[in-house]
Every structure is written in C-alpha cells, then in structure tokens.
Amino acid sequence: MNAKDRKQIQLIIDKIGELKQEIESLKESEQEKYDNLSEGLQATERGQKLEEGVDQLESCCSSLEEAEEYLQEAINA
C-alpha cells in the first residue's frame, strides 16, 4: 500500500471516529431518558424501546470500532 492510500484510509478512520462520537452522544442522551423514567415506566413498552435503542446504538459504536481496527491493520500491513 502506498502513502496516498494510507493517507486516504486514515481520513476514513478519522471520519469513523467523528461518527462514533456523534452516536455515543445520542446513546448517552437516550440512556439518560431511560434512567430518568421511574422503574414502573422503564418496564413499559416505551421504556423497553428506549433501552433497545440504547443497546442498538452501543452495538453500532462497537461495529465502528471494529471497522477502525480493520482499517488500522490495513495501514500497518
């Protein structure tokens, strides 16, 4: 891989990092909404959907981290 390609991959890694930060912020906001519900409301459909959304956003962040790792490995190969 040449220097130009490595630089392009690094730009992609940087963009993924920015997206990950935005998603993490959304996840924290949703988690706060869930945490502010009473225990009774957390057990409702609305509470369950909030919790599911938090879980999905966390999974998304994990997937983006994995993509960053693969791209970093490509740079180092």
Side-chain angles (χ1 to χ4, degrees):
M1 183 175 301
N2 62 33
K4 180 182 176 188
D5 292 340
R6 284 186 176 92
K7 186 175 181 177
Q8 185 65 31
I9 290 173
Q10 186 59 54
L11 290 172
I12 294 168
I13 290 170
D14 294 343
K15 289 177 185 177
I16 290 172
E18 291 171 13
L19 289 171
K20 200 170 63 172
Q21 286 177 347
E22 289 180 44
I23 293 167
E24 184 68 33
S25 178
L26 287 169
K27 181 188 77 87
E28 289 172 5
S29 175
E30 291 298 296
Q31 182 67 56
E32 187 175 326
K33 289 176 191 174
Y34 177 80
D35 291 343
N36 287 332
L37 293 175
S38 67
E39 285 186 29
L41 288 176
Q42 286 177 350
T44 66
E45 184 178 345
R46 178 177 178 229
Q48 291 173 353
K49 285 186 178 191
L50 278 171
E51 188 174 31
E52 185 178 312
V54 169
D55 291 343
Q56 293 301 322
L57 291 170
E58 181 63 37
S59 293
C60 183
C61 285
S62 295
S63 295
L64 289 173
E65 286 174 14
E66 187 176 357
E68 284 177 312
E69 291 170 10
Y70 283 123
L71 290 168
Q72 192 62 52
E73 288 176 17
I75 289 174
N76 296 330

